[in-house]
Amino acid sequence: DAGVIQSPRHEVTEMGQEVTLRCKPISGHNSLFWYRQTMMRGLELLIYFNNNVPIDDSGMPEDRFSAKMPNASFSTLKIQPSEPRDSAVYFCASSSLNEQFFGPGTRLTVL
Amino acid sequence: AQSVTQPDIHITVSEGASLELRCNYSYGATPYLFWYVQSPGQGLQLLLKYFSGDTLVQGIKGFEAEFKRSQSSFNLRKPSVHWSDAAEYFCAVGANSGYALNFGKGTSLLVTP
């Protein structure tokens, strides 16, 4: 298996623009997680899905953030409009019973 | 609520020396505990995990960790560090193996010649 796939790997955008991050989980995994990593706050959970259903979105910073999982093999995290404070590395992870596997992350820079 | 504390932000060790990275957790029930490693520009890789049973857990790359319930700790150890071990190390706690994780702030390991 190719592991968790995230795209793009790097994204540079201007404040106010819409940003969409994509994730393909490992086939057969039924849970998917979005995390954000910053120097100040470390790794934070944004939202997670179980069987494509959002279970906990309490970590989503505000209404500018939204996440979807239309099927078992694809998820998106959208920021609209983006702000400079959204600059971070965004990780997607998927899990089987006992382990979360992380993707390589998307480094987002909002100018 | 779950929380994880990694008291050491940075640690420097000489190559070949032993290593111990500290992790303390706060959780009401029996926690699911994990150690992950992150190399620069990379994602997180699982080193080891503890769910139940033997409190000394062996992981990849020669790492081990010991769960001590009385101290609410899950410290990571390696008897002899290699230069390639230089990375960021994260301790994490979960309520269940399939649930989201709470991560510590990480410990940055520097290995000197």
Side-chain angles (χ1 to χ4, degrees):
Chain A
D1 200 317
V4 176
I5 299 173
Q6 291 187 247
S7 64
R9 292 293 308 277
H10 302 273
E11 176 81 30
V12 180
T13 190
E14 293 187 346
M15 182 174 63
Q17 296 298 306
E18 177 180 297
V19 175
T20 299
L21 311 182
R22 297 173 176 80
C23 176
K24 177 179 170 55
I26 293 173
S27 177
H29 286 188
N30 62 351
S31 295
L32 183 140
F33 307 82
W34 283 100
Y35 293 89
R36 179 172 68 176
Q37 185 178 36
T38 62
M39 289 292 292
M40 291 297 295
R41 302 175 67 89
L43 270 160
E44 305 173 280
L45 175 72
L46 298 177
I47 184 171
Y48 81 94
F49 296 84
N50 194 35
N51 294 322
N52 311 338
V53 176
I55 303 300
D56 183 358
D57 66 354
S58 60
M60 296 286 262
E62 48 198 273
D63 292 345
R64 298 185 298 106
F65 285 69
S66 63
K68 293 182 180 180
M69 192 165 186
N71 57 62
S73 60
F74 184 65
S75 176
T76 60
L77 178 67
K78 184 177 295 186
I79 308 173
Q80 166 63 19
S82 58
E83 297 182 2
R85 59 193 169 119
D86 301 330
S87 297
V89 180
Y90 291 81
F91 288 103
C92 175
S94 68
S95 78
S96 60
L97 286 178
N98 295 324
E99 180 178 344
Q100 286 189 24
F101 292 82
F102 282 74
T106 295
R107 181 173 296 277
L108 173 65
T109 302
V110 183
L111 303 174
Chain B
Q2 309 163 31
S3 67
V4 176
T5 301
Q6 293 180 247
D8 304 306
I9 298 175
H10 300 282
I11 281 188
T12 300
V13 299
S14 300
E15 189 169 16
S18 63
L19 170 70
E20 182 169 31
L21 302 183
R22 295 183 292 164
C23 172
N24 293 97
Y25 68 89
S26 173
Y27 186 61
T30 300
Y32 289 73
L33 294 162
F34 306 80
W35 274 100
Y36 282 85
V37 61
Q38 183 182 29
S39 298
Q42 303 297 313
L44 280 76
Q45 181 184 21
L46 181 69
L47 287 175
L48 47 78
K49 60 196 175 196
Y50 172 79
F51 294 161
S52 64
D54 192 345
T55 57
L56 185 62
V57 180
Q58 301 297 320
I60 63 171
K61 304 185 179 186
F63 286 93
E64 66 178 25
E66 186 171 12
F67 171 61
K68 293 185 177 180
R69 184 187 300 276
S70 62
Q71 299 177 19
S72 297
S73 69
F74 189 57
N75 294 348
L76 181 71
R77 300 194 294 251
K78 187 170 184 177
S80 178
V81 170
H82 188 262
W83 64 265
S84 60
D85 293 325
E88 190 88 12
Y89 291 80
F90 293 92
C91 182
V93 62
N96 184 293
S97 62
Y99 282 59
L101 300 177
N102 276 324
F103 284 87
K105 292 295 179 66
T107 297
S108 178
L109 175 64
L110 177 65
V111 180
T112 59

